[in-house]
């Protein structure tokens, strides 16, 4: 019976399902029914808009891309949908209903246990964690492992938000703001590594230039 109910809700699609979920969580966090309904309605309208844009894009760009592949003899079998295409697909997956409460529960548990100071209010971008769970579910055919995927991704995102909150403050001037974004928070790690690499490269370049200038002056002095 429960599976039939879940399947029925999922079959409604993200345009209907996600506004309902957002409305329920908005009311759970103390919003009035009218405001919660407006929030859900805005999400639904946004999804319809995204769908229209993607449809127009595929209709206009698709034939041109096919002609290009035919003219250049390129065989392309993978399409990069980007987040506008991936998010609706993710919210339509079997992990969608359970992912939001799981990600919120992970956040609360980490806050209570003082494992993080991040309070994630970006409910929409929980779709990144949902995507990870959906991919694990598809790869392993295990719903429980899919849930584990959501948990692990959420925990890492919150910790990355902690680790790079200082950089957010120093660079953007935003005190008390973290960015536990599911698919970009890890860029903080790359930033640290690239910063060190660039610093070393800069020091190396300056040192090399000074050494070459010193050698050049030394040669001129000897020749004189």
């Amino acid at each position: 019976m429960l599976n039939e109910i879940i399947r029925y809700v999922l079959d409604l699609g993200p345009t209907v399902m996600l506004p309902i979920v957002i409305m329920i969580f908005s009311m759970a966090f103390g919003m009035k029914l009218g405001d919660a309904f407006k929030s859900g309605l805005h999400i639904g309208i946004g999804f319809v808009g995204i769908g229209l844009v993607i449809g127009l894009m595929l209709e206009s760009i698709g034939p041109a891309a096919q002609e290009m592949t035919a003219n250049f003899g390129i065989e392309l079998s993978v399409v990069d949908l980007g987040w506008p295409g991936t998010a609706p697909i993710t919210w339509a997956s079997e992990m969608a209903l359970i992912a939001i409460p799981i990600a919120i529960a992970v956040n609360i548990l980490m806050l209570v246990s003082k494992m993080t100071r991040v309070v994630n209010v970006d409910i929409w971008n929980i779709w990144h964690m949902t995507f990870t769970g959906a991919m694990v579910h598809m790869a392993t055919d295990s719903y429980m492992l899919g849930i584990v995927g959501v948990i692990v991704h959420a925990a890492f995102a919150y910790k990355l938000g902690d680790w790079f909150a200082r950089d957010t403050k120093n660079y953007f001037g935003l005190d008390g703001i973290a960015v536990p974004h599911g698919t970009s928070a890890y860029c903080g790690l790359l930033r640290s590594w690239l910063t060190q690499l660039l610093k070393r490269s800069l020091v190396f370049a300056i040192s090399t230039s000074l050494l070459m200038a010193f050698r050049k002056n030394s040669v001129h002095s000897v020749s004189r």
Side-chain angles (χ1 to χ4, degrees), residues 144-224:
M144 291 304 299
L145 287 179
I147 293 175
V148 172
V150 175
I151 293 172
V152 172
H153 193 159
F156 267 105
Y158 301 148
K159 285 306 298 180
L160 288 171
D162 275 328
W163 293 338
F164 297 103
R166 184 176 62 179
D167 296 300
T168 304
K169 175 184 177 181
N170 294 338
Y171 188 82
F172 295 103
L174 299 174
D175 191 13
I177 300 296
V179 186
H181 194 266
T183 55
S184 64
Y186 67 89
C187 292
L189 297 174
L190 297 177
R191 182 208 63 82
S192 299
W193 180 75
L194 288 174
T195 299
Q196 294 299 321
L197 179 63
L198 289 173
K199 285 182 178 179
R200 293 178 182 178
S201 300
L202 183 60
V203 170
F204 177 76
I206 294 174
S207 301
T208 303
S209 299
L210 291 174
L211 181 60
M212 291 179 65
F214 176 76
R215 287 180 177 178
K216 185 177 181 180
N217 291 333
S218 299
V219 170
H220 284 307
S221 298
V222 171
S223 61
R224 290 176 184 175

Side-chain angles (χ1 to χ4, degrees), residues 14-209:
T15 305
V16 177
M17 183 199 71
L18 189 60
I20 294 174
V21 173
I22 293 297
M23 187 174 69
I24 292 173
F25 274 96
S26 297
M27 293 176 63
F29 283 106
M31 289 184 67
K32 296 180 179 179
L33 177 60
D35 294 333
F37 178 77
K38 289 180 182 178
S39 298
L41 186 62
H42 289 162
I43 291 289
I45 293 172
F47 255 107
V48 172
I50 290 173
L52 291 173
V53 170
I54 293 173
L56 291 172
M57 182 182 68
L58 292 177
E59 290 178 3
S60 58
I61 299 178
Q66 292 177 358
E67 289 294 330
M68 184 184 71
T69 56
N71 292 333
F72 289 97
I74 303 173
E75 294 185 4
L76 303 175
S77 58
V78 179
V79 178
D80 183 2
L81 296 177
W83 77 263
T86 310
I89 294 173
T90 302
W91 287 124
S93 69
E94 295 183 8
M95 297 300 304
L97 280 179
I98 196 67
I100 292 179
I102 286 178
I104 293 175
V106 171
N107 193 193
I108 293 173
L109 181 61
M110 292 179 69
L111 286 168
V112 171
S113 60
K114 297 183 179 180
M115 295 177 64
T116 184
R117 297 178 61 192
V118 169
V119 178
N120 184 37
V121 297
D122 189 4
I123 303 298
W124 164 260
N125 277 320
I126 289 178
W127 81 263
H128 299 117
M129 306 158 193
T130 310
F131 179 79
T132 299
M135 293 296 290
V136 173
H137 181 209
M138 290 174 58
T140 63
D141 198 26
S142 171
Y143 196 76
M144 291 304 299
L145 287 179
I147 293 175
V148 172
V150 175
I151 293 172
V152 172
H153 193 159
F156 267 105
Y158 301 148
K159 285 306 298 180
L160 288 171
D162 275 328
W163 293 338
F164 297 103
R166 184 176 62 179
D167 296 300
T168 304
K169 175 184 177 181
N170 294 338
Y171 188 82
F172 295 103
L174 299 174
D175 191 13
I177 300 296
V179 186
H181 194 266
T183 55
S184 64
Y186 67 89
C187 292
L189 297 174
L190 297 177
R191 182 208 63 82
S192 299
W193 180 75
L194 288 174
T195 299
Q196 294 299 321
L197 179 63
L198 289 173
K199 285 182 178 179
R200 293 178 182 178
S201 300
L202 183 60
V203 170
F204 177 76
I206 294 174
S207 301
T208 303
S209 299

